[in-house]
Amino acid sequence: MLNVPSQAFPAPGSQQRVSSQGRSKVPLKQGRSLMDWIRLTKSGKDLTGLKGGLIEVTEEELKKHNKKEDCWICIRGFVYNVSPYMEYHPGGEDELMRAAGADGTDLFNEVHRWVNYESMLKECLVGRMAVKPAVPKDCHEGKRVLNGMLPKSQMSDTLPRDVTDTLPREDLSSPSYDWFQTESSVTIVVYTKQKNISLDSVIVDLQDDSLRAEAVIKDHSYLVHVGLSHEVQENFSVRVIENVGKIEIVLQKKESVSWQCLGDHLEKHDSFIPKKDTGLYYRRCQLISKEDVTHDTRLFCLMLPPSTHLQVPVGQHVYLKLSVTGDFISVSGPEGDFKVSKLQEVEDLFLLAAGTGFTPMVTVLNYALSHMSSLRKVKLMFFNKTEDDIIWRCQLEKLALREKRFDVEFVLSAPSPEWNGKQGHISRALLSEFLQRSSENSRAFLCICGPTPFTDEGIRLLHDLNFSDDEIHGFTA
């Protein structure tokens, strides 16, 4: 826990009392300033040597890590690997080595009592000393020993039976979670055990002092769902460390009290099940504005609650529920099986949309032009009934003029006599002309979305034109 500094500030003997004590800081190498350290901690580099995990540390284990290149120090019950911090420490390496492989709490309190070490060394946290905390009877932490983490011997008990039937053998291990606290905050850490987890894979809702945090991992969903033991502020932060698959959710306490447990377990807490079996979870969003896009299409702008973190991944969608006269609309979590990994190394991207089937193409198009370094050309063929039905026609035409890699073609099934563009329904002839690659052997991918008959017929035609299933994604509601 953080401590309030005493009247003697900085503490006697602190490196900050340079002028009064005549002491000076140890000169640091170039590139070893405080800001350099902060940049290193935010780089996602594994500073613990544990690949994102937390462990219980016995006294015997702690004593083994007593060298500069392998230095663990215990401060107030938490163990940190300070080897990466050695060259950044203003007091020098020798000062840190005084507590190498031991409990350095007393030494820290003498010299650095005022320092926010939890924040400074957060990415160096190895785990807790192996002391089982006392848990009040009204906090149901079950078998948990290290805050939220189970010992390996108990891990199999948490894996639902249906998961073992559906997951590949190498992926049997369920994600896990842990939590720790400072005087002002509580941090929940989810260990997904999968690399390349992105921020849009995490959905967090705080409602009535209950926390619901969902991590979408491949085709499965891991859920942390607890009624918090104390009140927290509605604002929180979410961070993902992609290279180790770690998720951090930081809550701000309303009162600076020590939590004895995270809270009571709620429905499906600590479950890891196929995403298709999770059902939809809605949160109420305020309707901010609505705008006419075409004669029968409107654009709704919704504001998420400040107590919700939700990002819709590229190519996915949400469901809406609303009262006819209400100003609030309930919004589900993201749904869909489109993965941006399908677009890796794609050179030619073809988008086929009919009517409001253009909706998922917006995020795919934006992602392609912003993030696909291999992209040579992205082409959109947009089917509608009349000119008035074309969503965002002006914006699409301006984008095509501004972005050389993008082309758009409009096809109308009931055009006016003045229409000079393509007309008709989706057909082999239209697609044969449209699906021209930038080079003979370029890697292509196709996305198609619209009414079910349109999508089904389009996929059939694409197969006839020798495109494989791996090269086609059909969006479905």
Side-chain angles (χ1 to χ4, degrees):
M1 295 292 294
L2 290 174
N3 288 280
V4 178
S6 64
Q7 291 181 349
F9 178 83
S14 166
Q15 293 296 324
Q16 300 299 311
R17 287 183 169 263
V18 176
S19 58
S20 61
Q21 300 296 329
R23 298 175 61 183
S24 59
K25 297 182 181 180
V26 174
L28 298 176
K29 297 178 182 178
Q30 187 175 3
R32 296 296 185 270
S33 67
L34 173 60
M35 291 307 300
D36 292 316
W37 172 250
I38 292 174
R39 278 191 286 270
L40 178 61
T41 63
K42 294 182 180 298
S43 68
K45 185 177 181 180
D46 178 18
L47 300 182
T48 65
L50 299 178
K51 298 182 179 179
L54 288 181
I55 63 173
E56 284 187 308
V57 183
T58 63
E59 290 187 16
E60 292 74 17
E61 180 67 23
L62 180 62
K63 290 176 182 178
K64 297 177 184 177
H65 303 271
N66 59 0
K67 302 178 180 63
K68 287 184 179 180
E69 64 275 9
D70 181 23
C71 182
W72 290 9
I73 294 176
C74 175
I75 304 176
R76 298 172 187 165
F78 290 92
V79 179
Y80 299 88
N81 179 0
V82 298
S83 295
Y85 183 59
M86 285 284 180
E87 294 186 349
Y88 297 86
H89 184 231
E93 297 178 357
D94 292 341
E95 192 75 12
L96 285 177
M97 289 302 298
R98 291 173 61 190
D103 190 328
T105 303
D106 291 341
L107 180 62
F108 176 84
N109 286 341
E110 288 178 13
V111 182
H112 295 304
R113 179 183 176 90
W114 56 276
V115 171
N116 185 350
Y117 74 93
E118 293 102 330
S119 176
M120 186 80 70
L121 298 177
K122 181 172 65 173
E123 298 304 325
C124 299
L125 180 64
V126 171
R128 289 181 62 172
M129 290 300 294
V131 178
K132 199 168 184 177
V135 179
K137 293 182 180 179
D138 61 342
C139 289
H140 309 297
E141 286 295 318
K143 300 178 182 178
R144 300 201 175 276
V145 177
L146 175 56
N147 286 336
M149 280 186 64
L150 282 173
K152 290 182 180 179
S153 61
Q154 297 176 8
M155 276 296 241
S156 59
D157 296 338
T158 67
L159 193 61
R161 185 171 299 174
D162 60 340
V163 174
T164 62
D165 295 335
T166 56
L167 283 174
R169 176 64 58 185
E170 64 271 16
D171 289 338
L172 280 178
S173 57
S174 170
S176 60
Y177 78 98
D178 190 18
W179 68 280
F180 59 91
Q181 61 182 307
T182 68
E183 188 176 72
S184 60
S185 66
V186 170
T187 300
I188 296 96
V189 185
V190 176
Y191 305 97
T192 67
K193 303 176 185 176
Q194 298 287 338
K195 291 186 177 181
N196 300 321
I197 294 295
S198 58
L199 199 57
D200 59 17
S201 300
V202 184
I203 308 164
V204 182
D205 292 279
L206 267 177
Q207 292 187 2
D208 301 323
D209 292 316
S210 68
L211 172 75
R212 187 184 189 279
E214 180 182 7
V216 179
I217 303 166
K218 296 185 177 178
D219 296 324
H220 283 70
S221 170
Y222 178 69
L223 185 67
V224 174
H225 195 194
V226 292
L228 299 172
S229 61
H230 293 75
E231 291 185 342
V232 295
Q233 307 286 349
E234 63 180 8
N235 293 315
F236 57 87
S237 62
V238 180
R239 180 186 176 209
V240 169
I241 304 173
E242 296 184 14
N243 61 338
V244 295
K246 185 169 70 172
I247 300 166
E248 294 181 349
I249 303 163
V250 183
L251 311 176
Q252 301 301 322
K253 297 178 178 178
K254 279 193 175 181
E255 296 181 355
S256 298
V257 296
S258 178
W259 292 21
Q260 298 303 310
C261 68
L262 184 59
D264 295 326
H265 299 174
L266 302 178
E267 183 183 8
K268 296 183 180 180
H269 171 70
D270 201 22
S271 64
F272 187 48
I273 60 178
K275 186 71 170 69
K276 62 182 177 63
D277 298 332
T278 59
L280 295 176
Y281 181 83
Y282 289 85
R283 70 278 302 150
R284 292 180 72 223
C285 300
Q286 186 175 1
L287 178 61
I288 301 300
S289 65
K290 54 186 176 181
E291 175 186 341
D292 290 332
V293 179
T294 68
H295 65 95
D296 61 357
T297 305
R298 285 183 175 178
L299 174 65
F300 290 83
C301 181
L302 304 174
M303 182 173 66
L304 286 168
S307 54
T308 292
H309 166 85
L310 185 153
Q311 297 179 356
V312 182
V314 173
Q316 297 193 17
H317 60 275
V318 296
Y319 293 96
L320 306 179
K321 293 193 306 186
L322 71 156
S323 301
V324 176
T325 58
D327 291 330
F328 287 87
I329 297 178
S330 296
V331 178
S332 76
E335 292 288 307
D337 58 357
F338 182 83
K339 299 289 188 295
V340 293
S341 57
K342 296 179 179 180
L343 302 178
Q344 289 182 355
E345 300 180 5
V346 167
E347 297 168 293
D348 291 311
L349 178 62
F350 300 101
L351 309 177
L352 301 171
T356 53
F358 171 67
T359 305
M361 304 303 178
V362 176
T363 54
V364 174
L365 178 59
N366 181 64
Y367 179 86
L369 294 175
S370 303
H371 296 89
M372 290 174 59
S373 58
S374 60
L375 184 72
R376 295 179 181 175
K377 201 73 175 179
V378 54
K379 299 174 66 176
L380 168 67
M381 180 170 274
F382 196 0
F383 293 81
N384 287 278
K385 187 175 182 180
T386 69
E387 286 187 74
D388 291 338
D389 296 320
I390 302 175
I391 300 173
W392 289 312
R393 177 182 180 180
C394 181
Q395 290 89 332
L396 289 170
E397 290 176 335
K398 286 182 179 179
L399 178 62
L401 289 173
R402 186 173 70 248
E403 175 57 69
K404 294 181 179 179
R405 293 176 298 169
F406 174 62
D407 286 335
V408 59
E409 295 182 12
F410 302 110
V411 183
L412 302 182
S413 60
S416 66
E418 293 79 21
W419 176 252
N420 295 320
K422 288 183 170 60
Q423 52 185 290
H425 298 275
I426 191 168
S427 65
R428 184 186 179 103
L430 280 173
L431 294 184
S432 298
E433 182 181 352
F434 175 69
L435 300 173
Q436 298 296 316
R437 302 177 186 239
S438 58
S439 64
E440 183 178 353
N441 297 315
S442 66
R443 181 169 177 175
F445 193 79
L446 303 100
C447 297
I448 182 169
C449 187
T452 301
F454 170 86
T455 302
D456 291 345
E457 176 65 8
I459 292 176
R460 186 189 68 79
L461 291 170
L462 292 172
H463 285 153
D464 288 345
L465 291 169
N466 298 319
F467 287 94
S468 68
D469 287 333
D470 291 338
E471 297 175 307
I472 304 169
H473 181 85
F475 291 97
T476 56

